[in-house]
Each structure stands twice: as C-alpha cells, then as structure tokens.
Amino acid sequence: MDTHTPTHTEAQGLDLRHHGDAEVRDDGSALVDLAVNVRADTPPAWLREHVAASLGSLAAYPDGRAARAAVAARHGLSVERVLLTAGAAEAFVLLARALEVRRPVVVHPQFTEPEAALRDAGHTVDRVLLREADGFRLDPAAVPEDADLVVIGNPTNPTSVLHPAAAIVELARPGRTLVVDEAFLDAVPGEREALAGRTDVPGLVVLRSLTKTWGLAGLRIGYVLAAPETIADLERAQPLWPVSTPALAAAEACVAPRALAEAARAAHRTAADRAHLVAGLAEFSDAGLRIVAPAEGPFVLLRLPHAAAVRHRLRDLGYAVRRGDTFPGLGEEWLRLAVRDRATTDGFLGALRRAVTGPA
C-alpha cells in the first residue's frame, strides 16, 4: 500500500468531479446504462405515489422532524444522532466545512466527492492508495497515525470491496473523525459489516444514501449518523430547510418496515444478478480481463487491456459503462459496470464480445 500527499498538479490531473452520470448525458441518453449505480426500474410505483402525495404541502416550509425520527428509529438511535441531508454529497461538503481538520486522509480508490469537497474547503488531502495486488483491501496500519479525519467507503465504490467492520473500527482513535460512506450498504444482503447504528466507536460518522436503492438521485436525500455534538456542528453549517418536503416524504417511506423488506429482497436479487454478470465476464479472461473479487456491491470493477477503446466501441454498440481513470489509484485499463437484470447483462456481454474483438 502507498501513502502520499498528491501535489496540486496531481489533484488537478484527475477529474474528481467526473461521475457515472456523465456517460449517459446528451448523446449518451439513449444508451443502455451500466455506468450509474442506481438500481434500475426505480423508484417503484408506490414510492412515486407517496412522493407525489406530498406535493400538496409545498406551500409550507419543510418540517423534517417526522423523517428524522423515522431514520433514528430505523437504526435504533436518538434523533440527536441523525442529520438529514440533500444526498450524501451534501454531507461531504458539510464535513469539509464544519469540522476543524489538520490532516484529512481519504482511502482510495473510492468515490471522489469527499476529496473534492475537502479540497474545495481549502484542505490539503493525503491519500492512502489500496493496491490491486492486495485485492484493494484495507490495511488499517497504512493510515497515518496523525490523521484526524479518515474517509472510507464500505462497500467501496468503485472496487465493490466490502471491508470487515472490525478492520474499519481499527481506524478509530481519540481525536479522529472516522467517516464511513455506507451509500451502498443496503444493497448487501443482511447489511453485513454495517456500522450504522453503532455508538461505541469513537469519532464514527456514517453516511447513508437513499438515492441508490430507491432511484432518487434527482430528489437528493441521504443522512448522517454521528455523535450529537458532531451532528450539531454539521447542522449549523447547513442552510435553512436543506431537504425538500418531497425528499422528506421519501426518507420517511424508505425506512419504513415495508420498504426495508423490499430493499432486502432487492439486495438478494442484485447478488444473484451480479453472480450472473461475473460468470459471463469470466469468458473474457483470455482477452486479459480481470475482475476485482469478490464483488459485494451493486457494481463490478474490472481491468481490461485497451479499456478506453473498448468503452468507446461499447458506446457505438449502445452501452454506457463507467471509466475508471478518474479514480485515484486506477488508470485507463479500468472500467466499472453496474449490475443489471440478466437480460440486460446478456445483451451487454454480447456487445462486449464484439467490442473486445474489435481493432486495438
């Protein structure tokens, strides 16, 4: 594993604000989307109807108390340990602006928005780069002892690695804020290795998103779970009424027992669909394709010679996938694929077969 402080040029050299949605904008809008990690065919009809019913209350200012209480109850916490946000992305900005931080460290490869938010807030960010040779698995000893803010995803985007909760807890220290991005944890059957709801880990901050499983990226809703004093600091940095009434309605609905049961079923379907994708990708091993395994999230990371050319050929064949070279620690040979249903995956595998055998 490698620990280093990127220079200004290195930070500028990677587009930390490039995300999967860029692949399906404009001329990519008609492509079959394997680039964005939002569950397909969502939000479900019952959730759309529930959100639509909230529109009659738009004249009133948003009141987040019921949604906040519902999230707290879902995780067995007091409401003082919950903060609702306009998606997890807002939470990263709040953490970067509200906390007094001397040496922030981001464990990469992972979602780049935490580092981007920290840099925008004027912080110098150190990176701990997990290595392909280690399966992109966390070694807690690789994180500098004097880091007072550590950010890690679990399961990590884009590697799809699910780190043991015990290994992440080893990162906790007095005087250190440990931020664990669990945006995709509800896509893991049984939410294995979850830290949400834990109150025994010093400095723990857990972020959750409701946009991935429920298809609410356009609505912007997520939340932070942390000690009351941390929540208070973040809340002071928020503007008034940061979460809209429709988003609050969605939050309350998505943590209800019915929704949790549906999400659990969806997690098992995703695991089966992911296994089908991984099995199909195995036929490309002779072409040099390698998968980061075991994949545990609703996406798969792979390495493939001439991946950039293959990605462009896939677009010509009607499929969008996520480039990997904007993630620190990866490069042009990496691609991330969102897990889709078997029919979509079979169509994609056929296109990949044609793209791989095309001119290098």
Side-chain angles (χ1 to χ4, degrees):
M1 299 194 186
D2 179 32
T3 305
H4 78 290
T5 303
T7 65
H8 180 73
T9 301
E10 286 178 292
Q12 294 279 324
L14 288 177
D15 182 2
L16 299 179
R17 286 271 159 73
H18 179 91
H19 301 300
D21 61 320
E23 309 285 352
V24 289
R25 290 180 189 153
D26 302 327
D27 63 343
S29 60
L31 300 177
V32 178
D33 179 12
L34 280 79
V36 177
N37 290 328
V38 171
R39 184 161 64 99
D41 300 321
T42 53
W46 67 263
L47 182 54
R48 291 197 303 270
E49 293 167 3
H50 183 81
V51 171
S54 73
L55 298 181
S57 302
L58 291 185
Y61 284 96
D63 183 349
R65 289 176 296 176
R68 189 176 185 180
V71 170
R74 182 256 198 267
H75 293 288
L77 298 171
S78 66
V79 293
E80 292 79 17
R81 289 181 171 269
V82 175
L83 182 67
L84 303 176
T85 59
E90 188 204 5
F92 291 125
V93 172
L94 296 176
L95 288 163
R97 294 179 178 177
L99 302 185
E100 294 184 7
V101 178
R102 299 182 311 278
R103 189 180 183 188
V105 170
V106 179
V107 179
H108 283 291
Q110 80 146 353
F111 185 50
T112 53
E113 202 60 31
E115 179 172 329
L118 285 162
R119 291 187 178 280
D120 286 348
H123 298 287
T124 298
V125 181
D126 286 355
R127 295 174 181 165
V128 170
L129 300 180
L130 307 184
R131 300 190 306 159
E132 179 187 7
D134 300 321
F136 295 109
R137 301 199 166 277
L138 172 67
D139 175 4
V143 175
E145 190 63 32
D146 63 344
D148 58 352
L149 174 70
V150 178
V151 184
I152 186 169
N154 204 37
T156 301
N157 171 23
T159 64
S160 208
V161 170
L162 183 65
H163 304 289
I168 295 178
V169 169
E170 284 187 47
L171 296 174
R173 302 280 190 282
R176 171 185 287 178
T177 300
L178 173 59
V179 179
V180 184
D181 177 6
E182 292 188 350
F184 295 99
L185 214 295
D186 61 351
V188 176
E191 296 200 357
R192 302 188 329 275
E193 313 302 342
L195 290 173
R198 293 275 297 267
T199 59
D200 60 323
V201 182
L204 177 65
V205 176
V206 174
L207 308 184
R208 285 288 182 109
S209 170
L210 296 173
T211 66
K212 317 301 184 186
T213 288
W214 296 109
L216 298 173
L219 199 58
R220 310 309 307 141
I221 179 64
Y223 54 89
V224 182
L225 307 175
E229 56 271 23
T230 301
I231 293 296
D233 288 340
L234 299 179
E235 193 168 18
R236 280 192 292 271
Q238 272 188 318
L240 290 173
W241 311 292
V243 181
S244 70
T245 294
L248 292 171
E252 191 171 358
C254 289
V255 296
R258 169 190 175 179
L260 295 180
E262 182 174 326
R265 292 191 296 270
H268 285 284
R269 285 197 304 272
T270 295
D273 289 340
R274 184 181 60 238
H276 182 70
L277 172 61
V278 169
L281 292 171
E283 75 170 85
F284 297 93
S285 59
D286 289 346
L289 187 150
R290 299 291 180 268
I291 304 166
V292 176
E296 300 282 2
F299 45 88
V300 173
L301 181 67
L302 60 86
R303 188 169 190 170
L304 178 67
H306 313 296
V310 169
R311 181 172 64 86
H312 287 295
R313 287 197 287 272
L314 283 169
R315 292 183 70 85
D316 293 338
L317 294 167
Y319 290 85
V321 300
R322 172 66 157 90
R323 60 191 285 191
D325 59 348
T326 63
F327 293 101
L330 301 182
E332 291 188 353
E333 293 189 332
W334 294 93
L335 298 173
R336 190 194 70 196
L337 311 177
V339 173
R340 298 294 185 239
D341 64 89
R342 293 190 175 206
T344 301
T345 293
D346 289 342
F348 166 75
L349 291 171
L352 181 61
R353 199 171 296 113
R354 294 172 61 189
V356 167
T357 57

